[in-house]
Amino acid sequence: MAGKEWDIIGASYVASAVKATQYPQDTIDEVAFIGRSNVGKSSLLNSLARRKGLARVSSSPGKTQTINFYSFQAKRQLEDEPERHTYYAVDLPGYGFARTSKGNKEQWSAFICKYMENSQYLKLVCVLMDIRHAPMESDIDCYQWLLNLGLPIMVILTKSDKLSKGAVASQKALYKKTFGLRDEQIMTYSSTSHTTRKELINRIMEHLE
């Protein structure tokens, strides 16, 4: 069965956009990644792609100020021949933007909303939340907004390597209860140890197949 698991075998940067005319024009599946500033979106994308510098990582919150599209090539080996699937991993600006003007915040919010509400190819939204903290108001607001849009959502609790196993289990239970999540709607992730990398890739592919 291991041979039938998906893996990411290639990834590349495609485009940065602040309006629809700048989006890639391909008609392929999209998986969006959203979360608070500094939650680890870029690190997670680099971990999935196994490419350290694919998405730029910064210690300064709010570094990602555009919608960034990355082409991810997935592959799994079936009995007769390999199966391949290409999709866009879409890195969205963090909410709770830091060190920017109110006007910029409103502008960014507007183009994030337009993308989420109008993308025809968006198959899944991965909402990243920092497992070290209780759910924040902005996390809850974002989740409710996505829920109201009727989008498929998966909550990813990042930085799980920063806590003990017991604390990870406790925090995951708290998030499940807060958001009313089923087991398949939530998972933990460490961009340092990559322990659940294959699990996340295959969960994403379940939404794309």
Side-chain angles (χ1 to χ4, degrees):
M1 287 298 290
K4 296 186 179 181
E5 287 191 341
W6 289 95
D7 198 4
I8 302 297
I9 59 162
S12 58
Y13 165 81
V14 176
S16 296
V18 293
K19 54 187 177 182
T21 54
Q22 298 170 331
Y23 298 167
Q25 297 305 303
D26 321 48
T27 56
I28 64 173
D29 294 338
E30 295 171 4
V31 178
F33 296 81
I34 192 169
R36 284 182 60 82
S37 299
N38 232 21
V39 76
K41 293 189 304 300
S42 298
S43 295
L44 183 140
L45 289 171
N46 290 340
S47 170
L48 286 179
R50 285 190 177 136
R51 279 195 52 193
K52 207 167 187 179
L54 179 68
R56 283 189 297 174
V57 178
S58 173
S59 57
S60 302
K63 185 70 175 177
T64 303
Q65 301 180 9
T66 53
I67 299 177
N68 296 323
F69 292 81
Y70 300 93
S71 174
F72 274 28
Q73 293 86 52
K75 175 186 172 183
R76 67 174 172 178
Q77 186 64 45
L78 299 180
E79 290 172 8
D80 298 328
E81 59 184 21
E83 182 180 2
R84 300 172 189 270
H85 191 96
T86 298
Y87 65 91
Y88 285 132
V90 186
D91 186 11
L92 296 161
Y95 47 81
F97 308 109
R99 297 179 190 169
T100 189
S101 68
K102 184 181 178 185
N104 271 350
K105 289 182 186 179
E106 290 173 353
Q107 180 185 344
W108 294 348
S109 298
F111 73 69
I112 294 169
C113 289
K114 284 180 181 174
Y115 167 73
M116 288 294 199
E117 292 167 359
N118 297 314
S119 175
Q120 301 174 51
Y121 310 108
L122 186 56
K123 303 296 184 185
L124 176 66
V125 182
C126 295
V127 186
L128 278 59
M129 303 183 193
D130 191 330
I131 196 170
R132 298 173 299 175
H133 309 294
M136 298 185 184
E137 187 177 346
S138 55
D139 293 327
I140 296 169
D141 288 346
C142 178
Y143 184 83
Q144 287 298 329
W145 169 59
L146 294 170
L147 211 57
N148 291 338
L149 289 178
L151 293 168
I153 307 166
M154 181 160 58
V155 171
I156 303 174
L157 303 179
T158 62
K159 309 188 182 185
S160 62
D161 57 292
K162 306 291 186 186
L163 298 178
S164 68
K165 284 187 178 180
V168 166
S170 176
Q171 285 294 92
K172 187 177 178 182
L174 171 64
Y175 275 84
K176 281 182 70 176
K177 183 177 180 182
T178 301
F179 294 101
L181 300 169
R182 301 185 303 275
D183 285 336
E184 66 269 20
Q185 295 175 302
I186 186 171
M187 64 176 292
T188 60
Y189 201 92
S190 164
S191 296
T192 305
S193 62
H194 318 290
T195 45
T196 52
R197 176 180 174 273
K198 280 284 188 75
E199 181 185 347
L200 177 53
I201 290 169
N202 282 278
R203 285 206 197 187
I204 288 171
M205 293 308 300
E206 285 174 13
H207 285 269
L208 303 187
E209 289 184 89

